[in-house]
Amino acid sequence: MLRGHTVGLRARHPSDVPVLHDELYDDVAARSRADSRPWRPISPGSAASPFAVADPTDTLAVFSVVTLEDGGLVGDAVLWGLDQHSRSAHLGVSLRPAFRGRGLSTDVVRVLCRYGFGVRGLQRLQVETLADNGAMLRAAERAGFVREGTLRRAAWVDGAFLDEVVLGLLADEWRR
């Protein structure tokens, strides 16, 4: 397990899947804001569930987020689009509703950075989030990410186009 101050990132367990699927996927409004793909009904037991336990790949690192205090399931964290040639990846975090607003996302982002830069040897990590996602913007910026730009009306969410913000962090900035 990768440890932060308050949370740990560990491999996904089969028992995590129904909880994450129910609270993070079946909430259509929230999922539509977190994923650029259109929501569609998927059974939590399906291999198509975004939280299904799968073998590791070279382009995706999936974690379940747990509290260090009691091991309780907090949410989902991922490095996706891992590119070993350019040594870059994208970062994503989704916390269960009961754990939002506690400042845990910053710890999750920092642990993902330590994994990406320290374990995987990446040069760049990137976050794309909706411009009105204040929680993710604050978590990324507290972890050292820099706003690099706004993609105007780049995301289709619940019948409207919304702006996305792109943030980046380089390995040498993280080491400081």
Side-chain angles (χ1 to χ4, degrees):
M1 177 176 0
L2 301 168
R3 297 176 183 275
H5 295 297
T6 57
V7 300
L9 304 184
R10 64 158 168 76
R12 178 79 27 90
H13 294 173
S15 60
D16 300 341
V17 176
V19 175
L20 295 173
H21 193 93
D22 179 55
E23 294 187 32
L24 300 179
Y25 188 80
D26 282 343
D27 180 347
V28 178
R31 185 65 185 187
S32 296
R33 294 179 53 78
D35 193 333
S36 61
R37 297 168 292 191
W39 185 90
R40 57 194 174 138
I42 298 174
S43 167
S46 169
S49 170
F51 304 107
V53 176
D55 290 333
T57 73
D58 291 335
T59 61
L60 182 67
V62 175
F63 301 94
S64 285
V65 181
V66 296
T67 63
L68 291 179
E69 182 180 328
D70 63 6
L73 182 63
V74 172
D76 172 61
V78 61
L79 286 185
W80 58 276
L82 281 152
D83 179 340
Q84 284 306 130
H85 178 73
S86 297
R87 293 176 50 205
S88 64
H90 304 262
L91 180 151
V93 176
S94 294
L95 300 185
R96 296 172 56 202
F99 293 94
R100 295 177 189 155
R102 298 184 188 181
L104 299 175
S105 292
T106 301
D107 201 23
V108 175
V109 171
R110 287 180 175 143
V111 177
L112 281 172
C113 289
R114 190 167 68 243
Y115 174 74
F117 294 130
V119 176
R120 298 296 294 257
L122 299 177
Q123 167 60 26
R124 174 185 170 79
L125 289 174
Q126 181 170 311
V127 172
E128 301 90 4
T129 190
L130 296 176
D132 64 355
N133 186 349
M136 187 62 198
L137 291 168
R138 282 188 300 278
E141 288 173 334
R142 287 178 184 149
F145 282 79
V146 175
R147 289 186 195 216
E148 296 179 334
T150 299
L151 304 174
R152 299 177 307 143
R153 296 177 55 183
W156 177 253
V157 178
D158 199 24
F161 286 103
L162 302 177
D163 293 350
E164 282 186 330
V165 175
V166 176
L167 302 100
L169 180 63
L170 303 177
D172 61 340
E173 296 168 336
W174 172 75
R175 286 186 190 100
R176 286 185 226 142

